Amino acid sequence: LQVEKSDVDLSTAKYSRLPDLNASVGADASFGRVLSSDNTYQTKNQTSGSLNVSASMPLFQGMRINHRIKAGKLDLAAAVQDMERAREDVAINVMTLYLEVLYNKEMVGVAERQLTLSEQQAGRSRALAAAGSRMTLTQARNDLQLALLDLSQALNRESAAGFDIVAPALDSMDLAALHRLGSADKVYAYAAENRPHIRAERLRLESSEHAVAVARSALYPSLSLSGGYGTGVYSADKDKFWAQVRHNSREYVGLSLNVPIFNRRAARNDIRTAQI
């Protein structure tokens, strides 16, 4: 879900380069001194209607959009690494529980062998030792069933009934392969370079650098292009409806430059926050 959210955020950043388009329709009733279609005031009651369509597109915003897109790509990559970390955590958890089951299986075997030895003893000593060995065996079997239950739940099985594992067959070649993994320092270096959660944090660090650039963009002027169409109809006008729509229409196109001068240090503090 976090990956999907990051993908949506990236899509929003990419589409922010496109122009927007808005339309509005209005109607009102005026009484007393009212503005007529010839832009003069008359003393009469009037109803009027208006239609406006406008569009605008950012031309320059201090590279804000570019940095948001780059940061969005890094955030998406970090979310993917988080998902890989979740998969890795599940795999490690299953492996740990599997080893726990193997351990408890071995403990059951130890208890069974101990009970056999105890039953071979004679007299009162045999009875006391056998009782303790049977208790140890019962406890070992209970621990094994609990370990199997934990592993079954980690695998999202509906039930642990009849569930068991196959112990790995280890031979000298398998053990020799373990020794080829390298030194502890090499293993650590590989993990530090490839573990998903470390890679995710590196991506977030790079994304935060773009967040600083986005905050800095508020210090630069912004330039936008706009255009639109509007028209109106008036009850006091003698022309018919569609004739009024035509001769009352107006179109415009323009450039808008916004220069930040002082915004109560909000932009500077946004930069400091992003840096932190």
Side-chain angles (χ1 to χ4, degrees):
L1 293 175
Q2 187 61 43
V3 171
E4 291 180 8
K5 178 182 178 300
S6 299
D7 188 45
V8 173
D9 292 341
L10 175 58
S11 176
T12 300
K14 288 181 177 179
Y15 282 117
S16 63
R17 285 174 167 166
L18 301 179
D20 60 6
L21 181 64
N22 299 281
S24 64
V25 177
D28 61 78
S30 304
F31 309 94
R33 295 281 292 175
V34 298
L35 185 66
S36 63
S37 60
D38 59 1
N39 204 30
T40 60
Y41 284 93
Q42 301 178 12
T43 303
K44 62 174 66 175
N45 297 338
Q46 177 179 262
T47 58
S48 61
S50 62
L51 168 66
N52 293 280
V53 179
S54 63
S56 64
M57 182 176 67
L59 299 180
F60 179 75
Q61 293 184 326
M63 303 299 291
R64 181 183 310 170
I65 295 177
N66 288 342
H67 285 296
R68 281 180 174 171
I69 293 174
K70 292 178 180 178
K73 291 179 179 179
L74 292 168
D75 290 339
L76 176 59
V80 171
Q81 291 300 316
D82 285 338
M83 184 171 64
E84 292 301 320
R85 178 187 180 182
R87 290 173 175 167
E88 184 182 77
D89 288 345
V90 171
I92 293 175
N93 187 43
V94 170
M95 178 184 68
T96 302
L97 294 174
Y98 173 78
L99 294 175
E100 185 72 17
V101 173
L102 284 179
Y103 168 77
N104 283 284
K105 275 181 172 288
E106 184 63 25
M107 294 305 296
V108 170
V110 170
E112 289 175 343
R113 291 190 292 273
Q114 184 63 44
L115 178 59
T116 300
L117 291 175
S118 298
E119 289 176 343
Q120 294 175 356
Q121 296 178 0
R124 183 172 180 274
S125 297
R126 182 186 66 183
L128 293 175
S133 298
R134 287 193 183 94
M135 183 180 297
T136 301
L137 177 58
T138 301
Q139 182 63 46
R141 287 173 175 170
N142 289 338
D143 291 341
L144 174 59
Q145 290 302 315
L146 290 174
L148 284 169
L149 176 61
D150 290 339
L151 179 57
S152 176
Q153 291 176 341
L155 294 172
N156 285 333
R157 290 172 51 86
E158 294 183 359
S159 172
F163 177 66
D164 202 355
I165 67 168
V166 176
L170 296 177
D171 54 28
S172 58
M173 293 186 63
D174 293 325
L175 295 176
L178 296 177
H179 292 291
R180 290 197 297 267
L181 289 176
S183 65
D185 291 337
K186 290 183 178 179
V187 173
Y188 176 81
Y190 178 83
E193 186 66 28
N194 294 277
R195 286 296 299 274
H197 71 281
I198 296 178
R199 295 173 65 181
E201 294 309 320
R202 287 175 177 164
L203 290 167
R204 288 194 178 92
L205 177 60
E206 191 175 350
S207 174
S208 67
E209 293 172 354
H210 288 286
V212 174
V214 170
R216 288 187 186 279
S217 68
L219 301 177
Y220 294 93
S222 60
L223 181 65
S224 60
L225 173 67
S226 61
Y229 166 84
T231 188
V233 293
Y234 304 86
S235 62
D237 198 318
K238 296 181 181 179
D239 291 339
K240 295 183 178 180
F241 178 85
W242 290 112
Q244 290 191 56
V245 169
R246 286 192 300 272
H247 72 241
N248 289 335
S249 65
R250 58 192 181 278
E251 300 83 20
Y252 71 91
V253 62
L255 286 172
S256 175
L257 178 66
N258 181 46
V259 181
I261 297 176
F262 180 69
N263 60 357
R264 300 177 294 276
R265 292 193 62 83
R268 295 289 183 182
N269 286 334
D270 286 344
I271 295 172
R272 292 173 61 191
T273 300
Q275 289 173 336
I276 292 172

